[in-house]
Amino acid sequence: MGTYILALDQGTTSSRAILFDREQNILGVAQKEFTQFYPKEGWVEHDPIEIWSSQYGVMMEVIAQAGVTPAEIAAIGITNQRETTILWDKETGRPIHNAIVWQCRRTADIVDKLRADGLEDHIRRTTGLVPDAYFSATKIKWILDRVEGAREKARRGEILFGTVDTWLLWKLTNGAVHATDVTNASRTMLYDIRKLDWDDTLLQALDIPRAMLPQVRSSSEIYGYTDIQGVQIPISGIAGDQQAALFGQGCFSSGDAKNTYGTGCFLLMNTGETPCESRNGLLTTIAVGLNGKVQYALEGSVFVGGAVIQWLRDEMRFFAESRDAEYYAQKVSDNGGVYLVPAFTGLGAPYWDMYARGVLVGITRGTQREHIIRAAQESIAYQVADLVHAMESDTGVPLTNLKADGGASRDMFLMQFQADILDRQVLRPAIRETTALGAAYLAGLATNVWSSTEELGRLWRCDTAFTPAMEAANREKLMGDWHRAVERCRGWADR
Protein backbone atom coordinates (compact mmCIF):
# COMPACT_ATOMS: atom_id res chain seq x y z
CA MET A 1 0.00 0.00 0.00
CA GLY A 2 1.10 3.58 -0.66
CA THR A 3 2.37 5.70 2.18
CA TYR A 4 1.22 9.18 1.12
CA ILE A 5 -2.14 10.96 0.97
CA LEU A 6 -2.89 13.48 -1.78
CA ALA A 7 -5.36 16.23 -0.87
CA LEU A 8 -7.06 18.23 -3.62
CA ASP A 9 -8.19 21.57 -2.19
CA GLN A 10 -10.37 23.32 -4.76
CA GLY A 11 -11.07 26.81 -3.43
CA THR A 12 -12.88 29.93 -4.56
CA THR A 13 -9.88 31.66 -6.08
CA SER A 14 -7.34 28.87 -6.58
CA SER A 15 -6.87 25.13 -6.95
CA ARG A 16 -4.29 23.51 -4.70
CA ALA A 17 -2.82 20.08 -4.15
CA ILE A 18 -0.95 19.04 -1.01
CA LEU A 19 0.86 15.77 -0.36
CA PHE A 20 0.96 14.50 3.24
CA ASP A 21 2.72 11.58 4.86
CA ARG A 22 1.31 9.48 7.73
CA GLU A 23 2.75 11.87 10.33
CA GLN A 24 0.90 14.74 8.55
CA ASN A 25 4.13 16.28 7.31
CA ILE A 26 3.73 18.23 4.07
CA LEU A 27 5.92 16.87 1.25
CA GLY A 28 4.75 19.25 -1.45
CA VAL A 29 2.29 22.03 -2.27
CA ALA A 30 1.21 23.31 -5.69
CA GLN A 31 -1.31 26.08 -6.30
CA LYS A 32 -2.82 27.84 -9.31
CA GLU A 33 -5.22 30.77 -9.32
CA PHE A 34 -8.01 30.83 -11.88
CA THR A 35 -10.28 33.43 -13.44
CA GLN A 36 -13.09 35.16 -11.57
CA PHE A 37 -15.92 36.37 -13.81
CA TYR A 38 -18.26 39.21 -12.77
CA PRO A 39 -20.84 39.47 -15.60
CA LYS A 40 -23.07 41.91 -13.66
CA GLU A 41 -23.12 43.62 -10.29
CA GLY A 42 -23.37 40.95 -7.57
CA TRP A 43 -22.83 38.09 -10.05
CA VAL A 44 -19.83 35.73 -9.73
CA GLU A 45 -18.93 32.88 -12.10
CA HIS A 46 -16.13 30.36 -12.73
CA ASP A 47 -15.30 28.30 -15.80
CA PRO A 48 -15.72 24.63 -14.74
CA ILE A 49 -13.17 23.50 -17.33
CA GLU A 50 -10.63 25.91 -15.87
CA ILE A 51 -11.43 24.59 -12.38
CA TRP A 52 -10.76 21.06 -13.59
CA SER A 53 -7.64 21.87 -15.61
CA SER A 54 -6.09 23.92 -12.80
CA GLN A 55 -6.87 21.21 -10.23
CA TYR A 56 -5.51 18.43 -12.45
CA GLY A 57 -2.43 20.50 -13.23
CA VAL A 58 -1.50 21.11 -9.59
CA MET A 59 -2.19 17.48 -8.76
CA MET A 60 0.37 16.34 -11.31
CA GLU A 61 2.75 19.15 -10.33
CA VAL A 62 2.83 18.21 -6.65
CA ILE A 63 3.50 14.55 -7.48
CA ALA A 64 6.44 15.58 -9.66
CA GLN A 65 7.61 18.18 -7.13
CA ALA A 66 7.68 15.68 -4.26
CA GLY A 67 9.47 13.08 -6.33
CA VAL A 68 7.04 10.28 -5.48
CA THR A 69 5.56 7.70 -7.79
CA PRO A 70 1.76 7.26 -8.13
CA ALA A 71 2.15 3.79 -6.60
CA GLU A 72 3.32 5.43 -3.36
CA ILE A 73 0.01 7.36 -3.02
CA ALA A 74 -2.44 5.48 -0.80
CA ALA A 75 -5.48 7.65 -1.47
CA ILE A 76 -6.85 10.98 -2.68
CA GLY A 77 -9.11 13.27 -0.65
CA ILE A 78 -11.17 16.10 -2.13
CA THR A 79 -12.25 19.28 -0.38
CA ASN A 80 -13.97 22.10 -2.19
CA GLN A 81 -15.61 25.49 -2.26
CA ARG A 82 -19.19 24.67 -1.33
CA GLU A 83 -22.55 25.64 -2.90
CA THR A 84 -20.90 26.59 -6.20
CA THR A 85 -23.09 25.01 -8.86
CA ILE A 86 -22.11 23.20 -12.06
CA LEU A 87 -24.42 21.61 -14.64
CA TRP A 88 -22.94 19.53 -17.44
CA ASP A 89 -23.94 17.26 -20.31
CA LYS A 90 -23.49 13.62 -19.31
CA GLU A 91 -22.67 12.53 -22.86
CA THR A 92 -20.16 15.20 -23.85
CA GLY A 93 -18.86 16.11 -20.38
CA ARG A 94 -19.17 19.79 -21.29
CA PRO A 95 -20.70 22.30 -18.84
CA ILE A 96 -23.89 23.90 -20.15
CA HIS A 97 -23.16 27.19 -18.32
CA ASN A 98 -20.39 28.73 -16.28
CA ALA A 99 -20.34 27.64 -12.63
CA ILE A 100 -22.43 29.98 -10.47
CA VAL A 101 -20.28 30.71 -7.42
CA TRP A 102 -21.51 30.60 -3.82
CA GLN A 103 -20.98 34.38 -3.53
CA CYS A 104 -23.33 35.13 -6.45
CA ARG A 105 -26.56 36.99 -5.63
CA ARG A 106 -28.37 36.70 -8.97
CA THR A 107 -31.06 34.37 -7.60
CA ALA A 108 -32.28 36.64 -4.80
CA ASP A 109 -35.66 37.02 -6.53
CA ILE A 110 -36.12 33.21 -6.62
CA VAL A 111 -35.41 33.14 -2.87
CA ASP A 112 -37.98 35.89 -2.32
CA LYS A 113 -40.58 33.78 -4.15
CA LEU A 114 -39.82 30.73 -1.98
CA ARG A 115 -40.50 32.90 1.06
CA ALA A 116 -43.67 34.31 -0.50
CA ASP A 117 -44.84 30.75 -1.18
CA GLY A 118 -44.50 29.96 2.54
CA LEU A 119 -41.52 27.61 2.28
CA GLU A 120 -39.16 29.38 4.68
CA ASP A 121 -40.08 27.24 7.71
CA HIS A 122 -39.93 24.06 5.63
CA ILE A 123 -36.45 24.97 4.39
CA ARG A 124 -35.24 25.64 7.94
CA ARG A 125 -36.73 22.43 9.36
CA THR A 126 -35.65 20.18 6.51
CA THR A 127 -32.29 21.49 5.34
CA GLY A 128 -31.13 23.36 8.46
CA LEU A 129 -30.49 26.40 6.27
CA VAL A 130 -32.14 29.77 5.76
CA PRO A 131 -33.56 30.67 2.34
CA ASP A 132 -30.71 32.49 0.61
CA ALA A 133 -29.10 32.89 -2.81
CA TYR A 134 -25.88 31.54 -1.20
CA PHE A 135 -26.97 27.91 -1.62
CA SER A 136 -27.06 25.70 -4.71
CA ALA A 137 -30.79 25.11 -5.13
CA THR A 138 -31.81 28.42 -6.70
CA LYS A 139 -28.64 28.45 -8.83
CA ILE A 140 -29.68 25.10 -10.38
CA LYS A 141 -33.14 26.49 -11.17
CA TRP A 142 -31.66 29.65 -12.69
CA ILE A 143 -29.53 27.65 -15.15
CA LEU A 144 -32.35 25.24 -16.02
CA ASP A 145 -34.66 28.21 -16.65
CA ARG A 146 -32.24 29.87 -19.05
CA VAL A 147 -30.49 27.14 -21.04
CA GLU A 148 -32.83 25.98 -23.77
CA GLY A 149 -33.88 22.34 -23.43
CA ALA A 150 -31.85 21.82 -20.26
CA ARG A 151 -34.73 20.87 -17.95
CA GLU A 152 -36.09 18.26 -20.37
CA LYS A 153 -32.63 16.72 -20.77
CA ALA A 154 -32.18 16.82 -16.98
CA ARG A 155 -35.41 14.85 -16.54
CA ARG A 156 -33.93 12.16 -18.77
CA GLY A 157 -30.73 12.15 -16.71
CA GLU A 158 -28.75 13.67 -19.58
CA ILE A 159 -27.81 16.84 -17.66
CA LEU A 160 -26.02 16.31 -14.34
CA PHE A 161 -25.73 18.65 -11.38
CA GLY A 162 -22.84 18.73 -8.98
CA THR A 163 -21.10 20.90 -6.48
CA VAL A 164 -17.37 21.17 -7.22
CA ASP A 165 -16.51 17.91 -5.43
CA THR A 166 -18.95 16.03 -7.66
CA TRP A 167 -17.54 17.63 -10.80
CA LEU A 168 -13.96 16.72 -9.83
CA LEU A 169 -14.94 13.16 -8.84
CA TRP A 170 -16.77 12.69 -12.15
CA LYS A 171 -13.76 13.98 -14.10
CA LEU A 172 -11.19 12.00 -12.09
CA THR A 173 -13.15 8.76 -12.61
CA ASN A 174 -13.65 9.56 -16.31
CA GLY A 175 -17.41 9.86 -15.87
CA ALA A 176 -17.83 6.60 -13.94
CA VAL A 177 -18.98 8.12 -10.61
CA HIS A 178 -21.65 10.80 -10.09
CA ALA A 179 -21.70 11.26 -6.32
CA THR A 180 -21.26 13.70 -3.48
CA ASP A 181 -20.88 13.40 0.29
CA VAL A 182 -23.34 14.36 3.01
CA THR A 183 -21.51 17.59 3.92
CA ASN A 184 -21.78 19.00 0.41
CA ALA A 185 -25.34 17.74 -0.05
CA SER A 186 -26.31 19.55 3.14
CA ARG A 187 -25.29 22.87 1.51
CA THR A 188 -27.56 22.64 -1.52
CA MET A 189 -30.83 23.70 0.22
CA LEU A 190 -32.36 20.56 -1.31
CA TYR A 191 -31.24 17.89 1.20
CA ASP A 192 -33.12 16.65 4.26
CA ILE A 193 -30.36 16.49 6.87
CA ARG A 194 -32.39 14.24 9.19
CA LYS A 195 -33.80 11.75 6.65
CA LEU A 196 -30.55 11.94 4.66
CA ASP A 197 -32.30 12.19 1.30
CA TRP A 198 -33.15 14.80 -1.31
CA ASP A 199 -36.37 16.62 -0.40
CA ASP A 200 -39.21 16.19 -2.91
CA THR A 201 -41.08 19.30 -1.73
CA LEU A 202 -38.18 21.57 -2.57
CA LEU A 203 -37.36 19.73 -5.79
CA GLN A 204 -40.96 20.27 -6.90
CA ALA A 205 -41.05 23.92 -5.80
CA LEU A 206 -37.95 24.69 -7.87
CA ASP A 207 -38.77 22.26 -10.72
CA ILE A 208 -35.46 20.43 -10.32
CA PRO A 209 -35.51 16.84 -11.63
CA ARG A 210 -34.23 14.25 -9.16
CA ALA A 211 -32.58 12.38 -12.04
CA MET A 212 -29.88 15.06 -12.34
CA LEU A 213 -28.79 14.85 -8.70
CA PRO A 214 -25.73 12.92 -7.50
CA GLN A 215 -25.80 9.91 -5.20
CA VAL A 216 -25.12 11.01 -1.60
CA ARG A 217 -22.50 9.00 0.28
CA SER A 218 -20.48 9.26 3.48
CA SER A 219 -17.44 11.55 3.79
CA SER A 220 -14.96 8.68 4.13
CA GLU A 221 -15.24 5.69 1.79
CA ILE A 222 -13.85 4.59 -1.57
CA TYR A 223 -16.00 6.34 -4.20
CA GLY A 224 -13.97 5.25 -7.22
CA TYR A 225 -10.50 5.25 -8.71
CA THR A 226 -8.47 7.60 -10.86
CA ASP A 227 -5.74 6.54 -13.23
CA ILE A 228 -2.40 8.31 -12.82
CA GLN A 229 0.31 6.95 -15.11
CA GLY A 230 -1.35 3.54 -15.19
CA VAL A 231 -1.82 3.32 -11.41
CA GLN A 232 -5.36 3.10 -10.00
CA ILE A 233 -5.54 5.36 -6.93
CA PRO A 234 -8.66 5.34 -4.71
CA ILE A 235 -10.56 8.57 -4.12
CA SER A 236 -11.72 7.97 -0.57
CA GLY A 237 -12.44 11.25 1.22
CA ILE A 238 -14.78 14.13 0.36
CA ALA A 239 -15.94 17.06 2.47
CA GLY A 240 -16.89 20.66 1.83
CA ASP A 241 -14.04 22.97 2.73
CA GLN A 242 -15.38 24.18 6.07
CA GLN A 243 -16.33 20.73 7.30
CA ALA A 244 -12.93 19.47 6.15
CA ALA A 245 -11.25 22.23 8.18
CA LEU A 246 -13.36 21.29 11.24
CA PHE A 247 -12.18 17.69 10.85
CA GLY A 248 -8.60 18.74 10.15
CA GLN A 249 -8.59 20.81 13.36
CA GLY A 250 -9.42 17.69 15.34
CA CYS A 251 -12.92 18.90 16.24
CA PHE A 252 -14.29 15.39 16.51
CA SER A 253 -16.46 15.90 19.62
CA SER A 254 -19.52 17.92 20.52
CA GLY A 255 -18.57 21.47 21.56
CA ASP A 256 -15.34 21.64 19.53
CA ALA A 257 -15.17 24.74 17.28
CA LYS A 258 -12.94 26.33 14.65
CA ASN A 259 -12.95 29.41 12.45
CA THR A 260 -11.46 29.48 8.98
CA TYR A 261 -10.16 32.84 7.77
CA GLY A 262 -10.32 32.51 4.00
CA THR A 263 -12.09 34.43 1.25
CA GLY A 264 -15.02 34.28 3.63
CA CYS A 265 -14.95 33.33 7.31
CA PHE A 266 -16.67 30.21 8.55
CA LEU A 267 -17.21 29.32 12.18
CA LEU A 268 -18.30 25.75 12.86
CA MET A 269 -19.06 23.97 16.11
CA ASN A 270 -19.49 20.22 16.26
CA THR A 271 -22.83 19.45 17.99
CA GLY A 272 -22.57 15.66 17.88
CA GLU A 273 -25.21 13.30 16.49
CA THR A 274 -28.09 15.66 17.27
CA PRO A 275 -28.80 18.68 15.05
CA CYS A 276 -29.04 21.94 17.02
CA GLU A 277 -31.59 24.45 15.73
CA SER A 278 -30.43 28.06 15.87
CA ARG A 279 -32.47 30.99 17.19
CA ASN A 280 -29.80 33.46 16.10
CA GLY A 281 -29.46 33.12 12.36
CA LEU A 282 -26.89 30.31 12.33
CA LEU A 283 -27.14 27.29 10.06
CA THR A 284 -27.58 23.68 11.09
CA THR A 285 -25.48 21.55 8.78
CA ILE A 286 -23.79 18.16 8.57
CA ALA A 287 -20.26 18.12 10.00
CA VAL A 288 -19.20 14.71 8.70
CA GLY A 289 -20.50 11.31 7.67
CA LEU A 290 -18.23 8.66 9.16
CA ASN A 291 -18.51 4.97 10.14
CA GLY A 292 -22.20 4.82 9.26
CA LYS A 293 -23.09 7.81 11.42
CA VAL A 294 -23.62 11.52 10.83
CA GLN A 295 -22.40 14.31 13.09
CA TYR A 296 -23.94 17.76 12.86
CA ALA A 297 -22.59 21.28 13.26
CA LEU A 298 -23.76 24.81 13.83
CA GLU A 299 -22.27 27.17 11.28
CA GLY A 300 -21.97 30.89 10.91
CA SER A 301 -20.87 32.32 7.56
CA VAL A 302 -19.13 35.61 6.82
CA PHE A 303 -19.28 36.21 3.07
CA VAL A 304 -16.36 38.65 2.92
CA GLY A 305 -13.43 37.88 5.20
CA GLY A 306 -9.98 37.83 3.63
CA ALA A 307 -11.64 39.05 0.42
CA VAL A 308 -11.82 42.55 1.94
CA ILE A 309 -8.01 42.59 1.98
CA GLN A 310 -7.94 41.46 -1.65
CA TRP A 311 -10.35 44.31 -2.44
CA LEU A 312 -8.03 46.84 -0.82
CA ARG A 313 -5.15 45.36 -2.82
CA ASP A 314 -6.78 44.93 -6.24
CA GLU A 315 -9.58 47.49 -6.51
CA MET A 316 -8.41 50.21 -4.10
CA ARG A 317 -4.70 49.58 -4.81
CA PHE A 318 -3.76 50.47 -1.24
CA PHE A 319 -0.87 48.00 -1.26
CA ALA A 320 0.76 45.47 -3.58
CA GLU A 321 0.71 42.32 -1.42
CA SER A 322 -2.05 41.10 0.91
CA ARG A 323 0.46 40.52 3.69
CA ASP A 324 1.20 44.27 3.69
CA ALA A 325 -2.17 44.89 5.37
CA GLU A 326 -0.74 43.67 8.67
CA TYR A 327 2.12 46.20 8.45
CA TYR A 328 -0.11 49.18 7.65
CA ALA A 329 -2.76 48.29 10.27
CA GLN A 330 -0.09 48.58 12.97
CA LYS A 331 1.11 51.98 11.77
CA VAL A 332 -1.81 53.61 13.63
CA SER A 333 -2.74 53.10 17.27
CA ASP A 334 -6.45 52.57 16.59
CA ASN A 335 -9.01 52.75 13.78
CA GLY A 336 -9.51 56.50 14.15
CA GLY A 337 -13.26 55.98 14.47
CA VAL A 338 -13.46 54.39 11.00
CA TYR A 339 -15.55 51.25 10.40
CA LEU A 340 -15.73 49.29 7.17
CA VAL A 341 -18.61 46.84 6.76
CA PRO A 342 -17.63 44.69 3.74
CA ALA A 343 -21.17 43.65 2.75
CA PHE A 344 -20.14 43.51 -0.91
CA THR A 345 -22.45 40.57 -1.64
CA GLY A 346 -24.88 41.00 1.26
CA LEU A 347 -24.49 39.95 4.87
CA GLY A 348 -24.36 36.37 6.09
CA ALA A 349 -25.01 35.16 9.63
CA PRO A 350 -26.45 36.31 11.90
CA TYR A 351 -28.08 39.01 9.72
CA TRP A 352 -28.88 37.21 6.43
CA ASP A 353 -29.50 40.37 4.46
CA MET A 354 -29.13 39.76 0.72
CA TYR A 355 -29.65 43.46 0.07
CA ALA A 356 -26.98 44.86 2.40
CA ARG A 357 -24.06 46.59 0.69
CA GLY A 358 -20.65 47.73 1.90
CA VAL A 359 -20.25 50.95 3.87
CA LEU A 360 -17.29 52.98 5.14
CA VAL A 361 -18.30 55.27 8.00
CA GLY A 362 -16.63 57.56 10.51
CA ILE A 363 -14.33 59.26 8.00
CA THR A 364 -12.95 62.67 8.99
CA ARG A 365 -10.39 65.03 7.48
CA GLY A 366 -7.77 63.28 9.59
CA THR A 367 -8.54 59.79 8.24
CA GLN A 368 -5.51 58.14 6.67
CA ARG A 369 -5.11 55.16 4.39
CA GLU A 370 -3.81 53.20 7.40
CA HIS A 371 -7.06 53.79 9.30
CA ILE A 372 -9.07 52.32 6.44
CA ILE A 373 -6.73 49.32 6.19
CA ARG A 374 -7.00 48.77 9.93
CA ALA A 375 -10.80 49.09 9.72
CA ALA A 376 -10.81 46.39 7.05
CA GLN A 377 -8.69 44.10 9.22
CA GLU A 378 -10.91 44.75 12.23
CA SER A 379 -14.08 44.09 10.20
CA ILE A 380 -13.05 40.45 9.83
CA ALA A 381 -12.73 40.05 13.61
CA TYR A 382 -16.00 41.88 14.35
CA GLN A 383 -17.93 39.61 12.00
CA VAL A 384 -16.43 36.50 13.61
CA ALA A 385 -17.28 37.87 17.07
CA ASP A 386 -20.92 38.25 15.99
CA LEU A 387 -20.91 34.56 15.01
CA VAL A 388 -19.31 33.41 18.27
CA HIS A 389 -21.82 35.32 20.38
CA ALA A 390 -24.73 33.88 18.36
CA MET A 391 -23.33 30.35 18.70
CA GLU A 392 -22.83 30.68 22.46
CA SER A 393 -26.40 31.92 22.79
CA ASP A 394 -27.78 28.98 20.77
CA THR A 395 -25.87 26.24 22.56
CA GLY A 396 -25.56 27.77 26.02
CA VAL A 397 -21.92 26.69 25.90
CA PRO A 398 -19.27 29.44 26.15
CA LEU A 399 -16.22 28.76 24.02
CA THR A 400 -13.07 28.36 26.06
CA ASN A 401 -10.94 29.02 22.97
CA LEU A 402 -11.19 29.31 19.22
CA LYS A 403 -9.07 27.27 16.80
CA ALA A 404 -8.07 29.40 13.80
CA ASP A 405 -6.95 28.39 10.33
CA GLY A 406 -6.98 29.66 6.76
CA GLY A 407 -4.74 32.09 4.91
CA ALA A 408 -5.57 35.18 6.97
CA SER A 409 -4.72 33.34 10.21
CA ARG A 410 -1.09 34.07 9.35
CA ASP A 411 -1.79 37.75 10.15
CA MET A 412 -0.50 38.34 13.69
CA PHE A 413 -2.38 41.65 14.06
CA LEU A 414 -5.68 40.08 13.05
CA MET A 415 -5.28 37.07 15.34
CA GLN A 416 -4.40 39.24 18.35
CA PHE A 417 -7.29 41.63 17.63
CA GLN A 418 -9.61 38.62 17.31
CA ALA A 419 -8.55 37.37 20.75
CA ASP A 420 -9.00 40.89 22.17
CA ILE A 421 -12.46 41.52 20.71
CA LEU A 422 -13.68 38.02 21.66
CA ASP A 423 -12.04 37.96 25.09
CA ARG A 424 -11.12 34.35 24.26
CA GLN A 425 -7.81 32.69 23.52
CA VAL A 426 -7.24 32.04 19.82
CA LEU A 427 -5.19 28.94 18.99
CA ARG A 428 -3.39 28.60 15.68
CA PRO A 429 -2.29 25.06 14.76
CA ALA A 430 1.21 24.07 13.71
CA ILE A 431 -0.25 22.84 10.41
CA ARG A 432 -2.37 25.64 8.98
CA GLU A 433 -3.44 23.69 5.91
CA THR A 434 -6.29 22.23 7.94
CA THR A 435 -8.79 22.10 5.08
CA ALA A 436 -6.54 19.91 2.97
CA LEU A 437 -5.51 17.99 6.10
CA GLY A 438 -9.16 17.20 6.87
CA ALA A 439 -9.63 15.79 3.37
CA ALA A 440 -6.45 13.74 3.83
CA TYR A 441 -7.68 12.44 7.20
CA LEU A 442 -10.99 11.30 5.67
CA ALA A 443 -9.22 9.62 2.75
CA GLY A 444 -6.67 7.97 5.05
CA LEU A 445 -9.29 6.61 7.45
CA ALA A 446 -11.08 4.88 4.57
CA THR A 447 -7.86 3.22 3.40
CA ASN A 448 -6.43 2.32 6.83
CA VAL A 449 -3.58 4.80 6.73
CA TRP A 450 -4.94 5.88 10.12
CA SER A 451 -7.01 3.66 12.36
CA SER A 452 -9.27 6.12 14.20
CA THR A 453 -10.07 9.72 15.09
CA GLU A 454 -8.38 9.08 18.44
CA GLU A 455 -5.12 8.47 16.61
CA LEU A 456 -5.65 11.65 14.57
CA GLY A 457 -6.46 13.69 17.68
CA ARG A 458 -3.05 12.91 19.11
CA LEU A 459 -1.41 14.47 16.04
CA TRP A 460 -2.87 18.00 16.55
CA ARG A 461 -0.33 20.58 17.75
CA CYS A 462 -0.67 24.27 18.63
CA ASP A 463 1.76 26.71 17.01
CA THR A 464 0.74 30.04 18.60
CA ALA A 465 -1.76 30.98 21.32
CA PHE A 466 -3.10 34.56 21.23
CA THR A 467 -4.26 35.74 24.65
CA PRO A 468 -6.72 38.67 25.04
CA ALA A 469 -5.22 41.90 26.42
CA MET A 470 -7.93 44.52 25.74
CA GLU A 471 -9.85 46.35 28.47
CA ALA A 472 -13.53 45.46 28.65
CA ALA A 473 -14.73 49.06 28.19
CA ASN A 474 -12.76 49.45 24.97
CA ARG A 475 -14.06 46.11 23.67
CA GLU A 476 -17.67 47.08 24.35
CA LYS A 477 -17.29 50.47 22.62
CA LEU A 478 -15.70 48.95 19.53
CA MET A 479 -18.40 46.28 19.20
CA GLY A 480 -21.15 48.84 19.84
CA ASP A 481 -19.87 51.13 17.10
CA TRP A 482 -19.46 48.16 14.77
CA HIS A 483 -23.15 47.31 15.23
CA ARG A 484 -24.09 50.92 14.50
CA ALA A 485 -22.13 50.70 11.25
CA VAL A 486 -23.82 47.41 10.31
CA GLU A 487 -27.26 48.98 10.70
CA ARG A 488 -26.33 51.65 8.17
CA CYS A 489 -25.61 49.10 5.42
CA ARG A 490 -28.75 46.98 5.80
CA GLY A 491 -31.28 46.77 2.96
CA TRP A 492 -29.36 49.23 0.76
CA ALA A 493 -30.01 47.45 -2.57
CA ASP A 494 -33.66 46.63 -1.83
CA ARG A 495 -35.25 49.30 -4.02
Side-chain angles (χ1 to χ4, degrees):
M1 191 184 80
T3 56
Y4 304 115
I5 302 286
L6 179 59
L8 306 183
D9 183 357
Q10 205 300 301
T12 307
T13 58
S14 70
S15 295
R16 311 173 73 228
I18 301 180
L19 194 67
F20 294 94
D21 67 13
R22 292 176 189 232
E23 285 71 48
Q24 68 180 17
N25 297 307
I26 294 174
L27 281 78
V29 180
Q31 178 170 349
K32 183 175 176 57
E33 292 192 2
F34 55 88
T35 312
Q36 308 291 308
F37 298 98
Y38 306 102
K40 295 183 182 179
E41 181 187 351
W43 291 28
V44 191
E45 294 181 358
H46 293 156
D47 176 356
I49 298 298
E50 190 180 6
I51 288 176
W52 161 243
S53 63
S54 62
Q55 189 65 71
Y56 185 82
V58 294
M59 177 177 76
M60 299 308 293
E61 182 183 341
V62 83
I63 292 171
Q65 179 192 107
V68 303
T69 65
E72 293 178 282
I73 299 172
I76 295 173
I78 297 172
T79 183
N80 55 287
Q81 54 166 316
R82 305 171 306 168
E83 298 94 20
T84 294
T85 297
I86 303 172
L87 272 61
W88 68 93
D89 187 296
K90 183 178 181 181
E91 184 66 28
T92 67
R94 301 290 302 180
I96 65 170
H97 192 277
N98 267 353
I100 302 182
V101 180
W102 60 272
Q103 298 161 312
C104 187
R105 313 309 292 169
R106 77 184 63 185
T107 60
D109 59 332
I110 302 175
V111 174
D112 290 340
K113 186 173 188 310
L114 290 174
R115 286 200 179 100
D117 290 344
L119 284 166
E120 182 167 5
D121 286 344
H122 178 80
I123 289 169
R124 286 178 182 270
R125 284 194 313 272
T126 305
T127 70
L129 309 176
V130 298
D132 195 85
Y134 175 26
F135 306 109
S136 310
T138 57
K139 303 179 195 300
I140 301 171
K141 175 176 169 55
W142 191 95
I143 296 175
L144 291 176
D145 287 346
R146 282 159 180 79
V147 176
E148 187 175 354
R151 188 170 270 106
E152 289 70 27
K153 291 183 74 173
R155 288 196 177 99
R156 297 194 298 267
E158 297 169 9
I159 297 293
L160 303 180
F161 154 71
T163 42
V164 172
D165 60 301
T166 302
W167 169 243
L168 293 178
L169 179 62
W170 195 82
K171 296 291 283 183
L172 286 165
T173 61
N174 200 26
V177 182
H178 181 224
T180 189
D181 89 302
V182 286
T183 69
N184 280 291
S186 74
R187 310 299 299 182
T188 60
M189 208 173 79
L190 292 172
Y191 192 69
D192 188 323
I193 61 172
R194 291 169 177 81
K195 295 180 181 177
L196 303 181
D197 191 14
W198 302 110
D199 181 70
D200 287 322
T201 299
L202 293 171
L203 293 177
Q204 184 176 351
L206 293 163
D207 198 9
I208 294 173
R210 186 183 268 261
M212 72 186 301
L213 303 178
Q215 179 189 14
V216 184
R217 296 164 70 171
S218 80
S219 307
S220 180
E221 62 176 271
I222 295 176
Y223 311 98
Y225 294 82
T226 193
D227 185 301
I228 299 180
Q229 298 170 9
V231 178
Q232 297 291 309
I233 302 175
I235 303 160
S236 55
I238 296 178
D241 52 9
Q242 303 315 318
Q243 287 96 332
L246 186 73
F247 203 76
Q249 283 275 33
C251 297
F252 306 137
S253 303
S254 181
D256 292 343
K258 69 88 201 175
N259 187 61
T260 297
Y261 296 82
T263 304
C265 287
F266 300 89
L267 178 70
L268 273 75
M269 177 191 282
N270 187 321
T271 62
E273 294 178 24
T274 304
C276 175
E277 294 188 18
S278 175
R279 303 175 306 279
N280 294 285
L282 301 179
L283 306 177
T284 305
T285 197
I286 293 178
V288 69
L290 188 66
N291 300 326
K293 296 180 180 179
V294 164
Q295 287 188 329
Y296 295 90
L298 269 182
E299 174 173 334
S301 309
V302 170
F303 293 157
V304 178
V308 71
I309 305 303
Q310 295 170 338
W311 174 73
L312 289 181
R313 180 194 68 192
D314 299 338
E315 277 73 35
M316 296 295 100
R317 300 177 187 172
F318 277 8
F319 40 74
E321 301 286 343
S322 293
R323 63 175 176 266
D324 294 340
E326 179 181 0
Y327 168 79
Y328 286 114
Q330 295 178 97
K331 295 286 283 183
V332 287
S333 60
D334 56 37
N335 62 17
V338 176
Y339 292 83
L340 171 59
V341 184
F344 304 149
T345 55
L347 284 172
Y351 304 102
W352 292 107
D353 186 341
M354 295 184 293
Y355 300 103
R357 290 297 179 266
V359 299
L360 185 62
V361 296
I363 299 172
T364 67
R365 183 63 182 82
T367 298
Q368 303 168 26
R369 174 180 61 165
E370 289 81 1
H371 290 123
I372 296 172
I373 294 170
R374 182 169 178 135
Q377 290 269 71
E378 291 183 356
S379 75
I380 301 171
Y382 294 135
Q383 292 178 95
V384 172
D386 281 340
L387 298 182
V388 169
H389 297 148
M391 200 163 281
E392 289 178 332
S393 176
D394 276 337
T395 62
V397 179
L399 293 188
T400 54
N401 58 57
L402 181 66
K403 290 182 175 178
D405 57 68
S409 71
R410 294 180 175 87
D411 189 313
M412 301 289 282
F413 169 81
L414 175 59
M415 292 296 96
Q416 183 57 53
F417 188 79
Q418 186 70 83
D420 287 341
I421 209 68
L422 268 182
D423 197 24
R424 300 283 190 282
Q425 196 172 55
V426 173
L427 305 178
R428 192 171 61 188
I431 295 182
R432 296 176 202 165
E433 304 291 354
T434 52
T435 303
L437 185 61
Y441 280 171
L442 291 165
L445 285 171
T447 51
N448 298 314
V449 172
W450 296 291
S451 61
S452 65
T453 54
E454 288 75 21
E455 180 185 356
L456 295 176
R458 291 191 290 271
L459 295 173
W460 193 90
R461 300 187 304 277
C462 180
D463 168 57
T464 309
F466 298 88
T467 301
M470 182 181 286
E471 292 183 4
N474 190 23
R475 181 183 307 113
E476 290 168 13
K477 182 180 188 315
L478 288 169
M479 284 303 299
D481 286 345
W482 161 255
H483 291 139
R484 289 170 61 212
V486 168
E487 286 307 309
R488 281 155 174 77
C489 83
R490 309 270 321 257
W492 180 261
D494 188 14
R495 55 185 176 137

